[in-house]
Amino acid sequence: MSNRTYVCIECRTSMRAPSSCGLKTDFRCRSCSGEVFEVSHRWRIPKRGDDKEWEMLRKKVIADQEFYRSHHRRQALSELAQIDRQIESVGNQKKETPAKKNKLERLYSKKKRILQTYRGLVDDYETGKGEQGSAHQSTTSL
């Protein structure tokens, strides 16, 4: 996976790290330990003293984060719904076989990986709100 640029809006610094494709990461600012945001390779990182450019970058970052969050939430909910349908289908089979047990284990493992990958975006999925919740709800926490 290629490296991307991450910026800390507060410190006006940038760093390079592996791309997360817009997903939440554990990367923190080296200066203030604050949140860093992944930015497109096309974006120019302004000089530290350029207030106007940093304000424009901040607005772009927020808009981009909202887009990625809503896109990834829809994608995760779709994948989870598909896995739940498969689990239900396999679970409704009358015979208890080792193949059925293995298939269910693989499906539950895949579901767990998806929930872990999209943590923070689909935390409400297990409570039944996930499929009805709107993408807007997840983006308002930025």
Side-chain angles (χ1 to χ4, degrees):
M1 192 174 286
S2 64
N3 280 346
R4 275 291 174 91
T5 301
Y6 290 81
V7 295
C8 175
I9 302 296
E10 298 301 316
C11 296
R12 297 183 178 187
T13 59
S14 63
M15 64 183 243
R16 300 282 290 168
S19 175
S20 67
C21 300
L23 293 174
K24 189 170 178 72
T25 66
D26 295 327
F27 300 138
R28 307 305 282 172
C29 175
R30 289 185 214 122
S31 301
C32 70
S33 298
E35 186 175 11
V36 293
F37 300 95
E38 182 177 5
V39 296
S40 170
H41 68 282
R42 296 180 185 131
W43 294 2
R44 188 181 74 75
I45 308 301
K47 293 183 179 180
R48 190 172 292 194
D50 193 342
D51 296 339
K52 183 178 176 182
E53 289 292 319
W54 272 100
E55 182 59 25
M56 287 175 49
L57 180 63
R58 185 186 70 76
K59 288 176 182 176
K60 278 193 220 177
V61 164
I62 290 171
D64 201 40
Q65 293 296 322
E66 289 177 8
F67 167 77
Y68 275 118
R69 286 181 64 84
S70 63
H71 170 74
H72 287 308
R73 180 174 169 83
R74 284 191 309 272
Q75 181 178 353
L77 291 176
S78 172
E79 290 177 29
L80 288 168
Q82 181 181 9
I83 290 172
D84 283 343
R85 285 191 300 272
Q86 290 174 343
I87 289 171
E88 185 178 351
S89 174
V90 172
N92 287 339
Q93 296 172 358
K94 293 182 181 180
K95 271 188 151 180
E96 290 295 326
T97 64
K100 176 182 175 180
K101 182 180 176 187
N102 288 340
K103 179 73 172 178
L104 284 172
E105 286 176 4
R106 283 194 312 273
L107 287 170
Y108 281 115
S109 177
K110 186 175 181 181
K111 183 176 180 177
K112 183 178 177 180
R113 272 194 316 274
I114 291 171
L115 287 169
Q116 195 170 23
T117 299
Y118 295 102
R119 69 184 186 273
L121 297 176
V122 291
D123 292 340
D124 58 352
Y125 184 78
E126 291 298 318
T127 61
K129 297 181 218 166
E131 293 179 89
Q132 293 87 22
S134 69
H136 176 73
Q137 288 174 328
S138 67
T139 62
T140 56
S141 63
L142 289 175

